[in-house]
Amino acid sequence: MYWEPAVELAEADTLRALQTERLNTTLAAARRAPHYAQALRNAAPARLERPEDLGSIPFTTKDDLRSSFPYGFLAVDRRDTVRLHSSSGTTGNPTVVFHTAADLDRWTDLLARCMYMTGVRREDVFQNLMSYGLFTGGLGFHYGAERIGALTIPIGPGNSQRQLWFMRQFETSVLHILPNYALRLAGLIAESGIDCRRELRLRIAFLGAEPHTEQMRRLVEETLGLRAYNSYGLSEMCGPGVAFECTEQRGMHVWEDAFYPEIIDPETLEPAAEGEVGELVLTTLSREAMPLLRYRTRDLTRFLPGPCPCGRTHRRIDRITGRSDDMLIINGVNIFPMQIEQVLLRIPGLGANYLVVVRTEGHMDRLDISVEVAPSAFGGTLEELEALQRRVAEALRSEIVVTPTVHLVEAGSLPTTEGKAQRVRDERPRQGG
Ligand code: ADP
Ligand code: ZN
């Protein structure tokens, strides 16, 4: 059940001692990078006695990474690095992250730990539908699966017919796929009249790289006939493998031997109250090339209380509800796109693809939400469609307070992407530029 039982089941005290030791090693290593040599000159104590002492050290932000581009965070000789990865640039310019051979080795082990935890074994056939290349989702899982010994198909995204052909031909049992692509693929499989449970051998899917709701997971599980697990990571830390769900499917274990997690109130920058949602802050504990101290991920989540029945002692975080910077403020009301998704997926007759557009009209913000209608519902009468439209608008209004204009559109008519879903288009003129 456990890839590294001694680490995964470590007693809390053991884990804290390990974290303290690794934090001190990390601090020393970080001082060799130009950025931290400067930033830590007056700030850091010589030695941390316990993990919480980290609170005296300044945060690191994405802007710091950008302004020190490209080598300001490098803590080793450039010749000791063997690979670079880059974030997908969902927001702003990309940032670059370097790895030594040892960094890659540890990352691979983390991914093997994650996949093994959900039941992946050497008998499995793993089809990786994430893009390869600079994006970390492809190569990260790839090496993890190979380390377990699973037969790995590095197919990448797109071309659904070909994906299906491979699934059938090689009896694929495990998928790694973007949630929005999983739903499209499920739709296609349903249309082709394929009975997933009888004709395919799928058991497990890893969904990650973009926010998605619990309903979205259940939908993927039901349509593809498998168990889906949430996978969280970011290229600044390594990529996937930072936090991962176990078979309990109740929150993601953050691997605390590799990352020290904090959750802060993004306004006050103080630790969030016990169990409150805040911004996840991560410190690398075993990275050579590019140690990062108190990195503000901008991802919003909370620690889940209590021990996990699986026996692992590493704390769990809740599903990411969004990024602190993708919150929309519409006529003064704060809205997260995930709230909209939650409402839409609850209403029968709607498809899973939607697009949120925010515009300015006069001095007011306007919210337009286009959502695809399931093919069955689109065949209905005009009255039925109008009734559905009113239900959607009403359900949204009661959740997000703002009344949107709802457009029901035909399945397959909204733009899709091979990468992360782009669900929000903010067309308001920017303040100050
Ligand atoms: P970019 O910031 O350009 O998207 P990455 O490819 O490194 O760069 O993506 C990391 C980000 O993707 C995370 O900070 C988070 O916002 C999002 N993300 C990754 N995994 C998940 C997940 N399981 N749930 C929600 N969001 C996720
Ligand atoms: Zn668990």
Side-chain angles (χ1 to χ4, degrees):
M1 237 183 112
Y2 310 100
W3 180 252
E4 289 167 280
V7 180
E8 292 171 55
L9 302 172
E11 297 289 338
D13 287 349
T14 315
L15 201 51
R16 280 173 62 80
L18 181 77
Q19 288 176 327
T20 309
E21 182 198 316
R22 292 192 171 170
L23 279 171
N24 281 306
T25 315
T26 300
L27 265 176
R31 284 175 199 280
R32 293 194 281 272
H35 171 85
Y36 286 122
Q38 176 74 22
L40 297 184
R41 236 179 355 183
N42 309 315
R47 227 196 114 68
L48 308 180
E49 298 302 331
R50 39 184 210 134
E52 291 76 16
D53 294 345
L54 196 62
S56 61
I57 287 170
F59 293 104
T60 306
T61 64
K62 195 151 190 136
D63 280 340
D64 293 330
L65 293 184
R66 290 201 182 108
S67 57
S68 300
F69 181 89
Y71 298 121
F73 277 86
L74 194 60
V76 297
D77 190 307
R78 227 278 292 126
R79 288 169 300 181
D80 291 330
T81 59
V82 297
R83 196 193 300 164
L84 71 75
H85 273 287
S86 163
S87 83
S88 53
T90 309
T91 52
N93 296 323
T95 45
V96 178
V97 177
F98 298 92
H99 301 273
T100 64
D103 290 337
L104 292 181
D105 190 55
R106 282 196 202 96
W107 182 25
T108 297
D109 244 352
L110 281 179
L111 254 317
R113 190 194 289 179
C114 295
M115 298 171 85
Y116 196 85
M117 171 164 76
T118 64
V120 178
R121 298 294 182 269
R122 59 191 299 272
E123 294 74 24
D124 278 297
V125 178
F126 172 59
Q127 191 161 327
N128 193 2
L129 293 81
M130 286 285 182
S131 22
Y132 279 71
L134 287 172
F135 176 61
T136 50
L139 288 172
F141 268 82
H142 179 97
Y143 286 114
E146 286 188 354
R147 184 152 295 177
I148 291 176
L151 171 60
T152 301
I153 309 177
I155 191 165
N159 197 341
S160 305
Q161 291 301 344
R162 188 154 153 268
Q163 301 285 358
L164 269 176
W165 186 84
F166 271 88
M167 284 179 202
R168 284 187 146 145
Q169 200 67 30
F170 299 101
E171 306 198 326
T172 300
S173 52
V174 183
L175 304 176
H176 179 213
I177 184 166
L178 283 168
N180 78 75
Y181 186 38
L183 279 177
R184 258 189 295 144
L185 194 67
L188 184 111
I189 292 178
E191 269 170 44
S192 336
I194 297 171
D195 179 347
C196 280
R197 286 171 180 77
R198 281 194 28 238
E199 297 175 52
L200 301 176
R201 291 278 169 275
L202 301 175
R203 291 192 313 119
I204 295 174
F206 302 117
L207 303 181
E210 63 186 14
H212 54 290
T213 53
E214 183 64 33
Q215 293 107 297
M216 180 82 115
R217 181 238 296 273
R218 295 295 166 211
L219 203 58
V220 170
E221 289 191 325
E222 278 156 30
T223 43
L224 292 178
L226 44 68
R227 294 259 283 168
Y229 296 99
N230 197 357
S231 151
Y232 170 78
L234 61 165
S235 45
E236 293 90 323
M237 289 299 121
C238 58
V242 175
F244 215 85
E245 267 182 343
C246 64
T247 49
E248 297 293 324
Q249 295 185 315
R250 267 179 283 170
M252 300 178 278
H253 290 282
V254 182
W255 297 125
E256 292 196 76
D257 58 315
F259 308 97
Y260 181 71
E262 301 169 81
I263 292 180
I264 62 164
D265 177 328
E267 300 288 325
T268 64
L269 306 184
E270 293 298 322
E274 194 64 37
E276 287 294 309
V277 171
E279 178 179 336
L280 181 66
V281 171
L282 294 168
T283 299
T284 62
L285 292 178
S286 56
R287 205 154 63 173
E288 292 179 346
M290 225 175 117
L292 289 181
L293 307 176
R294 307 192 83 201
Y295 182 70
R296 292 187 58 180
T297 64
R298 299 187 291 185
D299 293 323
L300 300 173
T301 183
R302 63 186 179 113
F303 284 122
L304 294 176
C308 185
C310 77
R312 292 179 183 82
T313 46
H314 302 235
R315 274 178 293 175
R316 287 167 302 156
I317 54 170
D318 207 351
R319 189 173 283 288
I320 308 285
T321 48
R323 304 198 201 203
S324 55
D325 51 2
D326 67 18
M327 184 177 78
L328 292 165
I329 305 181
I330 295 171
N331 299 323
V333 179
N334 300 349
I335 298 169
F336 284 100
M338 276 305 102
Q339 289 177 280
I340 296 175
E341 179 174 308
Q342 231 159 35
V343 171
L344 296 180
L345 289 184
R346 269 204 303 263
I347 301 176
L350 298 182
N353 202 9
Y354 63 93
L355 179 69
V356 177
V357 179
V358 194
R359 291 182 287 132
T360 310
E361 220 174 69
H363 293 290
M364 297 294 281
D365 297 327
R366 280 206 39 186
L367 187 61
D368 278 84
I369 299 179
S370 304
V371 53
E372 289 183 2
V373 177
S376 53
F378 212 75
T381 64
L382 192 59
E383 284 85 55
E384 282 164 350
L385 275 179
E386 278 170 358
L388 180 59
Q389 189 168 28
R390 276 195 304 275
R391 272 194 65 201
V392 176
E394 177 50 32
L396 283 165
R397 195 199 54 79
S398 72
E399 166 72 28
I400 61 178
V401 191
V402 174
T403 308
T405 307
V406 172
H407 309 272
L408 299 180
V409 302
E410 211 172 336
S413 62
L414 289 176
T416 54
T417 106
E418 272 200 357
K420 302 193 187 200
Q422 305 279 332
R423 306 260 191 224
V424 179
R425 202 184 289 157
D426 195 339
E427 298 178 349
R428 292 174 292 187
R430 288 194 172 226
Q431 299 277 310

